[in-house]
Amino acid sequence: SDIKGLKLEDAPLPKSRNLDVLLEFENSKSKKTASFVVVGHVDAGKSTMMGRLLLDLGVVDQRTVDKLRQEATNIGKSSFALAWVLDQRSEERARGVTIDIATNRFETDTTAFTILDAPGHRDFIPNMIAGASQADFAILVIDASTGAFESGLKGQTREHSLLIRSMGVSRILVAVNKLDMVGWSQERFDEIKNQVSGFLSATGFQVKNITFIPVSGLHGDNLVRKSTDPAAAWYTGATLVDELENSEPSVRALAKPLRMTISEVFRTPQSQVSVSGRLDAGSLQMGDALLIQPSGEKAYVKSLQVDEAPVDWAVAGQNAVLHLSNIDPIHVRVGDIICDPTKPIQCLDTFSMKALAFEFLMPMQVDVHRGRMHAAGRIEELTALLDKVTGAVVKKKPKIAKPATVARIVVKLGSKVPLEAGQRVVLRSGGETVAAGLLE
Ligand code: GDP
């Protein structure tokens, strides 16, 4: 029968209607999928490391890197060539040359990985929030060269670590980078390991979920292959890629109602509107009717792709491109949520959350970030201060919440946005992160 607002005759051919997608998924021999974000202080070497990783895995070829190196040498910055591997790819994306989220993807024998958000973006923190909200793990890059580490730990390393933990990422790989610059000093590595593990535990990471790997992103040591530098022989542990492969991705909410956050909107010859994004929960298949929030408009899935290949269905944890029919592009925006029209996500303009304070909290204007969505809002009131461990109410209606305390707060937004309990949101003010936590 017709679904309100949609005529069945406009639907695509029901090629794969009524598939039991979860059964199909179980029977498919698809590779394990995992996504991660790369965080750390500016200049720690994030882009260089990811460029080198893609080169060593054969995702980009030496010719491309040589071409970039030539261009970089021409402007006197030859060391930038590897970092440009990622930049070049994100610029291509911005121009719409490549349209899918698969640009920063690579595969090993067991796992298909997605590097969420290209590090080095201008709007880095909002990008990182979006990335971290979908990440299974994080790679924290620390600059081991003398002096740089200490300033990094005080600066962005701290904010980034707090943010990713607040967004629900529990597994963290710490790449202690630029060890070539300190002669592969084991002492330096151990010193950093001690300090950073203490700091990460205090941030809420469990010791068993923290792994340290000494690397040189520039030379590719201990990324894909073990370092052959005799000075690095003291390290007998795994490479970064081995550690990524050995990490268990978060449990996928396969049986929950469909939720997919739109990360890109574009037009293709196959459809009026195509969107890409990750399925946060549930599943979908070709021919399905979908609801897009907050517009409340419906559309059909005309066809879809996962990892660049046309497929009949997609499940939670996968990144998909959906070619939609029956929808005007004005109703579809980056950050919107696609859901099951029979079990839709609600749009709210007031919500209560359990917030970890990064700064002093009181009734104040804030920007509310949930994944890629952000909206202007205001902390209306502080309902209670909570015990950090038990969550029990310590004090009712406090005037203020101090940094590093947990408070239940009520936030009001300027407009209605799709929100539901269990989502993680970040509050920012004047370019600073002031709080992060869970919607109740
Ligand atoms: P990002 O801001 O964290 O993305 O840092 P970049 O990747 O742009 O690197 C910053 C600078 O550090 C560049 O000049 C790189 O060439 C240099 N760099 C990065 N990794 C290494 C490394 O492992 N060893 C050395 N010696 N230099 C590195």
Side-chain angles (χ1 to χ4, degrees):
S1 66
D2 289 5
I3 293 174
K4 203 169 161 262
L6 285 179
K7 288 195 210 80
L8 208 50
E9 68 243 33
D10 294 333
L13 287 178
K15 184 178 154 209
S16 51
R17 274 255 178 99
N18 299 326
L19 280 180
D20 183 338
V21 175
L22 296 192
L23 194 67
E24 296 281 325
F25 175 60
E26 228 168 74
N27 294 336
S28 71
K29 296 275 178 292
S30 8
K31 268 188 190 176
K32 184 169 86 171
T33 58
S35 310
F36 62 88
V37 281
V38 186
V39 302
H41 202 271
V42 64
D43 284 342
K46 301 179 289 295
S47 324
T48 304
M49 186 179 300
M50 289 303 114
R52 182 76 207 200
L53 194 80
L54 295 177
L55 173 68
D56 289 355
L57 287 165
V59 181
V60 289
D61 55 17
Q62 186 64 49
R63 264 179 50 207
T64 308
V65 176
D66 289 344
K67 199 184 108 227
L68 291 173
R69 186 158 286 139
Q70 190 54 52
E71 285 173 26
T73 309
N74 290 347
I75 63 158
K77 302 209 152 128
S78 59
S79 70
F80 282 17
L82 281 169
W84 282 357
V85 170
L86 282 181
D87 284 353
Q88 182 197 253
R89 300 179 131 223
S90 34
E91 227 171 74
E92 274 175 14
R93 290 175 56 186
R95 288 203 313 268
V97 179
T98 42
I99 43 144
D100 53 282
I101 23 67
T103 339
N104 289 322
R105 243 169 38 80
F106 64 89
E107 287 190 16
T108 62
D109 290 342
T110 64
T111 317
F113 288 102
T114 303
I115 309 172
L116 293 161
D117 94 85
H121 266 167
R122 262 173 307 157
D123 216 6
F124 188 59
I125 296 272
N127 252 309
M128 194 174 78
I129 295 169
S133 69
Q134 304 190 335
D136 296 303
F137 340 113
I139 297 179
L140 169 63
V141 182
I142 303 257
D143 183 344
S145 64
T146 316
F149 158 64
E150 285 76 8
S151 67
L153 194 53
K154 285 188 209 95
Q156 287 146 327
T157 307
R158 183 174 296 273
E159 186 185 12
H160 293 182
S161 309
L162 262 170
L163 265 176
I164 53 177
R165 186 68 201 98
S166 303
M167 295 311 285
V169 176
S170 55
R171 169 94 175 109
I172 188 163
L173 306 178
V174 186
V176 181
N177 192 31
K178 304 195 192 182
L179 275 177
D180 58 295
M181 289 180 77
V182 292
W184 284 91
S185 159
Q186 181 175 8
E187 236 180 10
R188 184 73 179 147
F189 174 76
D190 286 341
E191 181 196 349
I192 292 173
K193 185 174 164 177
N194 279 337
Q195 286 199 39
V196 176
S197 58
F199 157 72
L200 288 176
S201 314
T203 308
F205 288 94
Q206 286 182 276
V207 174
K208 67 172 171 53
N209 290 328
I210 313 171
T211 304
F212 289 83
I213 307 134
V215 302
S216 166
L218 189 62
H219 301 296
D221 287 324
N222 295 337
L223 298 184
V224 179
R225 52 161 185 79
K226 291 292 285 277
S227 174
T228 51
D229 191 327
W234 54 264
Y235 180 68
T236 51
T239 60
L240 183 69
V241 166
D242 287 340
E243 287 293 352
L244 280 171
E245 277 199 292
N246 293 339
S247 304
E248 260 322 297
S250 341
V251 178
R252 312 292 183 212
L254 294 172
K256 293 245 179 83
L258 171 70
R259 300 290 186 257
M260 171 173 164
T261 310
I262 299 177
S263 54
E264 281 177 277
V265 180
F266 45 91
R267 283 160 184 264
T268 61
Q270 298 104 298
S271 72
Q272 294 169 288
V273 185
S274 298
V275 297
S276 69
R278 192 178 98 125
L279 275 75
D280 300 316
S283 63
L284 57 80
Q285 60 184 300
M286 202 193 290
D288 273 358
L290 306 174
L291 179 78
I292 296 149
Q293 289 286 47
S295 70
E297 295 288 323
K298 298 195 185 85
Y300 287 114
V301 183
K302 209 169 157 190
S303 59
L304 68 151
Q305 287 163 273
V306 170
D307 299 342
E308 285 155 275
V311 290
D312 291 336
W313 48 264
V315 296
Q318 289 179 326
N319 290 295
V321 174
L322 309 183
H323 304 296
L324 303 175
S325 67
N326 215 261
I327 181 123
D328 191 315
I330 60 166
H331 300 306
V332 187
R333 287 166 313 180
V334 169
D336 286 359
I337 291 189
I338 288 180
C339 60
D340 177 348
T342 66
K343 290 167 190 136
I345 185 168
Q346 303 305 317
C347 293
L348 308 172
D349 60 7
T350 306
F351 63 89
S352 170
M353 70 178 283
K354 216 190 238 179
L356 170 65
F358 289 23
E359 305 287 340
F360 285 96
L361 299 183
M362 61 204 91
M364 61 201 263
Q365 299 299 127
V366 285
D367 277 321
V368 179
H369 293 251
R370 189 227 55 227
R372 229 161 260 279
M373 183 281 307
H374 52 100
R378 189 184 148 74
I379 298 177
E380 283 291 301
E381 64 165 320
L382 280 60
T383 329
L385 288 182
L386 307 176
D387 184 282
K388 251 183 142 169
V389 179
T390 64
V393 173
V394 176
K395 184 179 179 187
K396 283 188 179 165
K397 293 195 177 289
K399 286 209 171 58
I400 202 162
K402 284 191 205 140
T405 61
V406 177
R408 174 170 289 130
I409 61 175
V410 176
V411 179
K412 197 161 166 43
L413 298 165
S415 59
K416 288 197 168 186
V417 300
L419 289 169
E420 64 189 351
Q423 286 180 334
R424 293 180 185 267
V425 294
V426 173
L427 307 182
R428 308 194 82 220
S429 171
E432 299 262 322
T433 302
V434 296
L438 268 184
L439 237 84
E440 294 187 305

